[in-house]
Amino acid sequence: MKFLNKKNIFNLILILSIYFIVEFLINRGIIDSYIILNIVVIGVNIILAVSLNLITGITGQFSLGHAAFMSIGAYASAIMTAKLGQPFIVGIIAAALSASLAGIIIGIPTLRLKGDYLAIATLGFGEIIKIIGLNNDYIGGATGLNDIPQYTNWTWIYFCVVITIIIINNFIKSYNGRACISIREDEIASETMGVNTTYYKILVFTMGAFFAGIAGALYANYFYFIRPDSFGFMKSIDILVIVVFGGIGSVLGSVVGAVMLSIISVFLQNIPELRMVVYSVILFLIMVYRPQGLIGKNDLRLFKKRGVLNGCAHSK
């Protein structure tokens, strides 16, 4: 079988080895609850950053509403597990599907917009979701929803991160991914070559929302308590900063950026008022000295020696 080549077998062994090593350290108490908390935060940020990078970095659609999809996923999972008593897997499925449905609903009318107009539209969508949450008593309103079961653990966070990276990375390297990259490079040329740009933009918007919903479910079922303010405009900015910091268009960059900025946030916990100042300085330095981000587009080098538009013609 093509799947069972040496590279994939090695990757599978590596993935399982990391999992069992960390699981062993947790069971022995070497990794305590505080470290696990930070691992969960890093994992959630990786899923959010990689999924936003699919929208912004790969397809070139500037979205500021990613936190809204996370919010929808968080509340969907919380309702399923806390109010309806369903298993966590049901909560995750509900979170992913509800967020992706929201992605389709907002995507169809707004993805005909470009640049700043799309950013403003998605920002408005995020604020609408926040206001709905603040005024909905069933989910706790402004006081938030508490007593959410803590189902998220190392196993859930690790394999959700791995699955997210594998699916999105394979999508980028596929025929559909090349079509999305062509849209980013030149949308008019893509349409001329037969690429259905509206279809692909809605597709990646829905995929990004799908994984953001999963991130929201993992977040809600670890921290017991959520409220609409946790998923506001600044959360979307946090995710965007990670993407820019690691490298727009780079999956590996999103992973590295999420890890590094999450660690930086840990050291800034005692001075939260300086957190956004530090983020601003980081963004300034990145934009001036390394605008391509820490990693750049090295994990997309596959496409450097071939025309991106080749093979994208007559797309669906």
Side-chain angles (χ1 to χ4, degrees), residues 1-265:
M1 295 177 64
K2 187 177 179 181
F3 175 77
L4 295 176
N5 54 46
K6 291 182 180 180
K7 181 180 178 181
N8 288 339
I9 292 174
F10 173 78
N11 289 336
L12 179 61
I13 293 173
L14 179 62
I15 289 169
L16 293 177
S17 297
I18 293 173
Y19 169 74
F20 285 115
I21 289 171
V22 176
E23 181 72 11
F24 174 79
L25 295 176
I26 291 173
N27 292 334
R28 287 299 181 95
I30 298 174
I31 295 180
D32 58 22
S33 58
Y34 179 73
I35 297 177
I36 294 174
L37 182 149
N38 287 294
I39 289 174
V40 170
V41 171
I42 290 173
V44 168
N45 285 339
I46 289 174
I47 295 173
L48 291 170
V50 172
S51 57
L52 179 61
N53 213 350
L54 178 63
I55 299 171
T56 300
I58 303 303
T59 316
Q61 306 304 302
F62 188 28
S63 172
L64 289 177
H66 214 56
F69 300 123
M70 180 185 180
S71 173
I72 292 170
Y75 276 103
S77 179
I79 290 171
M80 284 292 174
T81 56
K83 288 185 172 292
L84 302 181
Q86 297 298 314
F88 188 34
I89 184 63
V90 175
I92 289 180
I93 293 172
L97 293 180
S98 58
S100 58
L101 178 62
I104 295 173
I105 292 173
I106 190 63
I108 291 174
T110 62
L111 287 182
R112 297 181 185 274
L113 303 174
K114 300 178 182 178
D116 298 340
Y117 299 103
L118 177 60
I120 293 170
T122 52
L123 173 61
F125 167 70
E127 291 302 307
I128 290 171
I129 296 299
K130 177 181 173 182
I131 296 301
I132 291 175
L134 289 171
N135 291 279
N136 192 323
D137 292 334
Y138 181 72
I139 56 175
T143 58
L145 183 61
N146 53 22
D147 296 327
I148 303 171
Q150 190 184 46
Y151 290 134
T152 302
N153 54 23
W154 162 244
T155 300
W156 279 108
I157 198 73
Y158 181 74
F159 285 107
C160 283
V161 167
V162 169
I163 291 171
T164 300
I165 293 173
I166 290 174
I167 291 176
I168 292 181
N169 191 54
N170 286 336
F171 176 84
I172 293 170
K173 294 178 180 178
S174 70
Y175 172 88
N176 294 325
R178 293 195 298 272
C180 293
I181 296 171
S182 73
I183 294 171
R184 180 193 67 194
E185 297 300 325
D186 193 324
E187 186 171 339
I188 296 175
S190 298
E191 290 179 344
T192 304
M193 294 294 292
V195 176
N196 188 338
T197 57
T198 301
Y199 166 79
Y200 281 109
K201 287 193 286 187
I202 294 175
L203 175 63
V204 298
F205 211 76
T206 304
M207 284 185 64
F210 180 91
F211 289 107
I214 293 176
L218 295 170
Y219 179 92
N221 286 97
Y222 185 81
F223 290 100
Y224 300 106
F225 171 79
I226 54 174
R227 62 180 186 178
D229 289 339
S230 303
F231 311 100
F233 170 68
M234 293 312 300
K235 184 61 180 177
S236 290
I237 294 298
D238 283 349
I239 306 167
L240 182 62
V241 168
I242 292 172
V243 173
V244 174
F245 181 72
I248 295 178
S250 168
V251 173
L252 177 61
S254 295
V255 175
V256 173
V259 172
M260 292 188 65
L261 287 179
S262 297
I263 292 173
I264 291 173
S265 294

